[in-house]
Amino acid sequence: MSQDLVRLSISGAVGIITVDNPPVNALSPGVPEGILNGVQVFNATDDVKAIVLIGANGKFIAGADIRFFGKERAKLPMRPQDALEQSNKPVVAAISGFALGGGYEMALGCHYRVALSNARVGLPEVTLGLLPGGGGTQRLPRLIGPAKALDLIVSGRHVPAPEAYGLGMLNKIFPAGSDLQAEAVHYANSIADLRPIPRIRNMKDEVKKGTPELFEAKRKEIARRARNQEAPYVCIEAVEVACKTQIDDGLKWEGDKLRYLENTDESRALRYAFFAEREAQKLPDVPKGTPIKPITNAAVIGCGTMGGGIAMCFADAGIPVKVLEASQEALDKGMAKVRANYETSVKRGSLAADEMERRFARIEPVTEYDAIAQQDVVIEAVFENMDVKKEIFTKLDAVMKPGAMLLSNTSALDIDEIASATKRPQDVAGAHFFSPANVMKLLEVVKGKESSGEIVASTMALGKIIGKAPAATGNCDGFLANRSRAPFNSEMVILLEEGATPQQVDKVMVDFGYPMGPFAVGDLAGLDIGYAGRARRAAADPNYRTLPIADKLYEMGHYGQKTGAGWFKYEPGDRTPHPHDVVDQLIKEHMEANNIESREITDDEILKRLLFSSVNEACKILEEGIAYRASDVDIMWLYGFGFPRYRGGLMFWADLIGGPQEVYSQISSWHQRYGERWRPSEYLRKLAESGTIFKDAKAGS
């Protein structure tokens, strides 16, 4: 097996170990054995003076095979990283593509590291709830110093080759497009006779810089973003160990910690999220090989907050985009906002000024529909009004070229009704971006009744092209994301009617891991948006559970940050939420009018009422076949609503705390206490009785 995945060849006096394990040359079983064998063979070959480790098909070694974390792995007589380091003949790692995690750790075992200029390296294991367990935490600090190593290991970021060269992670870089194997062989010949061979384990000067103050400062730096997580702190401790101990002791410590972290809920959740994102790309009802429409240009209807943000997504991806508005005044205002967003990125240092100008130049403002007629895709992004959207799609149907993708950014409205305004409903689908569109990663792809497999597959592919995490759903009010979130949004306000406060609810959810509490998020988005959605649902459902406190707050003109007050108060120029006495008074008046006695509500009840209500709704969505699988629910909550990734997603988290049995039992209790809104989903009941976990739940099964 190892011979199939790792090839050995000789070029002059240089032995070449080529990893060939498509698609990304991961360190699956057989690859480490093959590398180890190659080192042994070439060390025993007299005519070989140096060795090159390289990957086939323009890729080095992307990293470990994540599927095998948490499982027993084959016992080797020696780790290949250690064999590479101990080789009596110098070894050169030749890096193209990505050398991440175990891939870059393999390169750290080598004596020299060269790369193409468009390669990327790094140790991103922390993003999976792990630490680099192949020597990375012990070798990298010895190579580039503890401060730089801490930054890379704790952030897990991918480092472009030019930066990596400047940090000392690489010895040489070659222009992109170079014949890497030829360059690496030439380099190996040039260092073949140099002695002593530079083994990282013998480098001791850099780790002397590892002071207690350095590590304490890093712990304080990550305290907010790493709350509730263990892996980032273990990574810091690992670098600290590298600075205090002999390398062999440090390697043993690192290995022990890796085995521990592999089995934590944190790592299981993060690994699950990694695979769930990839699973979301699979469309069971779209045949494999369905053609994908090419996207060379785009158009967006509307240059408001959403339209401008969507246009930025295309521009950031290098795709020219036209933005259409009904008036020049609205267009100028929208384009000014787009430029201001880019300028903010420049001020923060996340975007170079010249790159900003290139991106902004890709956005062309227009006021006539004829100007967008030849675009490959058009995304309507005006406010949520069915009549307005149908009027726009009637116009698009009249002017857009045959085969153009006609997409709506609606967050809840009926895609089938929108498509009915055209003579080509097969080319219509939903492309629901989340605000701010240029930042939030989720793209909810909505399949209409007549949406073709080609339009759905092409919209999913478009999401990947513009850097989003696309996930598909069927058509219903609110689709998958907002429909599953709606009970959460109602329950958080209902809790106020029983004695909770916005401050308490927000604290519970921030402590759980959300970046912001739901009431603060509501103020940021604008309470007028929620009011419009409630009004639409109340008109459609005579049994709709109204939210009088929220409605009265809206009617008083308290829309959130845009008016200086909503659920919280805000000082001019400051987004810090402060308790709002108007809200306190509304709560008091409501409870008095309805003879409700205030009670103390525990944090645990708040958390479970918010999240269990949405788990129940997600089960209804699965039962109706609107969603393909529970993992798609999790992707939408992770990327659309800021659900903490280290908890895996809404449904995965529910599995961790007891699964369907626990959720069904609690919801049944609340159903008896609160009535119809807490009626358990029939699908949830079936899951609980069958012992099936949420993670394995699929549409209608």
Side-chain angles (χ1 to χ4, degrees), residues 100-101 104-105 108 121-126 132 136-137 140 152-153 156-157:
L100 302 173
Y104 185 64
E105 287 179 301
L108 286 172
V121 302
L123 298 173
E125 284 88 346
V126 71
T137 68
L140 190 60
L152 300 181
I153 294 171
R157 69 186 182 91

Side-chain angles (χ1 to χ4, degrees), residues 87-151:
S87 169
N88 292 322
K89 299 174 182 181
V91 186
V92 178
I95 300 170
S96 55
F98 292 91
L100 302 173
Y104 185 64
E105 287 179 301
M106 206 64 72
L108 286 172
C110 299
H111 309 118
Y112 300 91
R113 288 151 294 281
V114 302
L116 295 180
S117 61
N118 58 351
R120 286 179 175 262
V121 302
L123 298 173
E125 284 88 346
V126 71
T127 63
L128 296 175
L130 303 169
L131 85 167
T137 68
Q138 303 305 297
R139 289 192 174 99
L140 190 60
R142 287 174 164 82
L143 180 66
I144 66 172
K148 297 174 185 175
L150 274 175
D151 171 57

Side-chain angles (χ1 to χ4, degrees), residues 265-273 645-648 652 656:
D265 286 345
E266 176 184 328
S267 183
R268 289 192 188 99
L270 289 165
R271 298 196 312 262
Y272 164 81
R645 189 175 179 88
Y646 57 84
R647 298 194 189 276
F652 187 87
L656 289 179

Side-chain angles (χ1 to χ4, degrees), residues 161-233:
E163 181 187 355
Y165 174 74
L167 290 170
M169 301 171 73
L170 300 171
N171 298 93
K172 191 174 181 64
I173 55 176
F174 306 109
S178 300
D179 183 336
L180 180 60
Q181 180 167 306
E183 294 285 6
V185 167
H186 178 75
Y187 185 86
N189 276 312
S190 73
I191 53 86
D193 297 322
L194 295 181
R195 295 295 184 275
I197 295 175
R199 297 180 173 87
I200 291 179
R201 67 166 38 245
N202 298 328
M203 299 178 184
K204 300 178 181 178
D205 291 343
E206 288 292 341
V207 290
K208 294 177 183 177
K209 301 173 183 177
T211 64
E213 292 78 14
L214 172 68
F215 300 108
E216 187 57 30
K218 178 58 73 171
R219 290 185 179 96
K220 289 180 179 178
E221 177 190 319
I222 69 168
R224 178 170 171 78
R225 64 181 171 85
R227 65 186 186 281
N228 303 330
Q229 298 174 69
E230 194 170 0
Y233 292 99

Side-chain angles (χ1 to χ4, degrees), residues 18-42:
T18 304
V19 177
D20 190 0
N21 181 26
V24 295
N25 296 333
L27 291 169
S28 308
V31 175
E33 294 89 338
I35 295 172
L36 180 58
N37 174 66
V39 175
Q40 294 169 340
V41 167
F42 288 137

Side-chain angles (χ1 to χ4, degrees), residues 250-264:
L251 291 171
K252 182 181 183 306
W253 185 96
E254 177 194 79
D256 290 343
K257 284 295 183 180
L258 174 64
R259 285 184 288 276
Y260 162 72
L261 288 173
E262 281 181 329
N263 294 299
T264 61

Side-chain angles (χ1 to χ4, degrees), residues 642-674:
F643 194 92
R645 189 175 179 88
Y646 57 84
R647 298 194 189 276
L650 177 70
M651 309 301 275
F652 187 87
W653 166 79
D655 275 333
L656 289 179
I657 65 164
Q661 293 89 346
E662 168 65 21
V663 176
Y664 179 71
S665 174
Q666 181 63 77
I667 286 180
S668 297
S669 172
W670 284 331
H671 180 220
Q672 292 179 351
R673 178 175 179 178
Y674 292 111

Side-chain angles (χ1 to χ4, degrees), residues 519-540:
F519 285 105
V521 169
D523 281 352
L524 178 62
L527 303 191
D528 47 332
I529 295 175
Y531 180 85
R534 291 195 301 277
R536 188 183 73 252
R537 292 187 178 96

